[in-house]
Amino acid sequence: IDARLQEIAEMSKEEISGEVEDYFTSNLNVSSMVNWDLFRSSDHISGLLRCFEPMQLSKIMDRMIKDHRTYRSGLPDLTCWNPEAGELRFVEVKGPGDKLSYKQILWIRFFLSIGVTAEVCHVDPTGSFNSTGIKRKSGAGVNETNDVSDNS
């Protein structure tokens, strides 16, 4: 595993993209651990991969492969990317009263430590309606922030 992760870390973005495009083409509609159906096309997944530096991908895979039980949960809710600009960010969405879990904090700190943008988006329910159709009032504490910095 370590040798393959090192290979990935040393590959170019184009090499990684080419390999994954081949895997996508040969494994689409095949039952496997990877849900290839989440991507519209090989260009779609390739656009995402090109937003990562190879070392970042290698470190993320290392973390998930070597301790899957611990790190299979807590990943942010959204993965947002712009392939034209090469921009990527992970976003954890929190509603009023929601707090980050310990595993979510670990993932956000990890992404930031490897140079991947990660953030928490606090949703304000202003203007939304509850299940009975009555407009909600903005709740207290919607401007709260969660400190995920490592102050140790």
Side-chain angles (χ1 to χ4, degrees):
I1 291 173
D2 288 333
R4 179 61 175 150
L5 290 171
Q6 187 60 40
E7 281 178 32
I8 291 168
E10 294 171 358
M11 293 170 83
S12 70
K13 290 181 180 185
E14 292 72 27
E15 290 171 320
I16 292 171
S17 182
E19 263 194 44
V20 172
E21 284 180 28
D22 291 343
Y23 296 142
F24 178 88
T25 303
S26 61
N27 292 298
L28 185 62
N29 299 320
V30 173
S31 180
S32 74
M33 289 181 61
V34 177
N35 187 356
W36 297 103
D37 296 332
L38 292 174
F39 298 95
R40 294 185 294 263
S41 67
S42 61
D43 288 339
H44 191 218
I45 193 169
S46 182
L48 169 61
L49 293 173
R50 286 193 174 117
C51 293
F52 285 97
E53 291 301 322
M55 182 61 76
Q56 293 168 329
L57 280 174
S58 176
K59 287 181 179 185
I60 292 167
M61 286 187 278
D62 180 74
R63 182 179 179 99
M64 294 188 84
I65 291 167
K66 292 184 178 173
D67 195 359
H68 185 72
R69 181 175 294 237
T70 299
Y71 295 113
R72 67 182 171 199
S73 62
L75 284 162
D77 296 315
L78 305 173
T79 303
C80 307
W81 71 97
N82 178 338
E84 288 80 27
E87 295 174 351
L88 166 77
R89 74 183 57 237
F90 289 103
V91 181
E92 179 60 37
V93 180
K94 292 294 177 191
D98 268 350
K99 302 266 187 236
L100 289 172
S101 72
Y102 178 69
K103 288 184 178 183
Q104 290 169 330
I105 292 169
L106 289 177
W107 269 113
I108 291 169
R109 285 182 180 169
F110 172 75
F111 287 134
L112 295 173
S113 77
I114 64 169
V116 174
T117 303
E119 59 192 28
V120 179
C121 174
H122 295 275
V123 178
D124 182 349
T126 303
S128 65
F129 294 87
N130 67 17
S131 61
T132 62
I134 298 173
K135 191 170 182 177
R136 295 178 195 244
K137 293 181 183 177
S138 180
V142 293
N143 292 324
E144 251 179 71
T145 59
N146 292 310
D147 183 8
V148 296
S149 59
D150 187 6
N151 294 325
S152 51

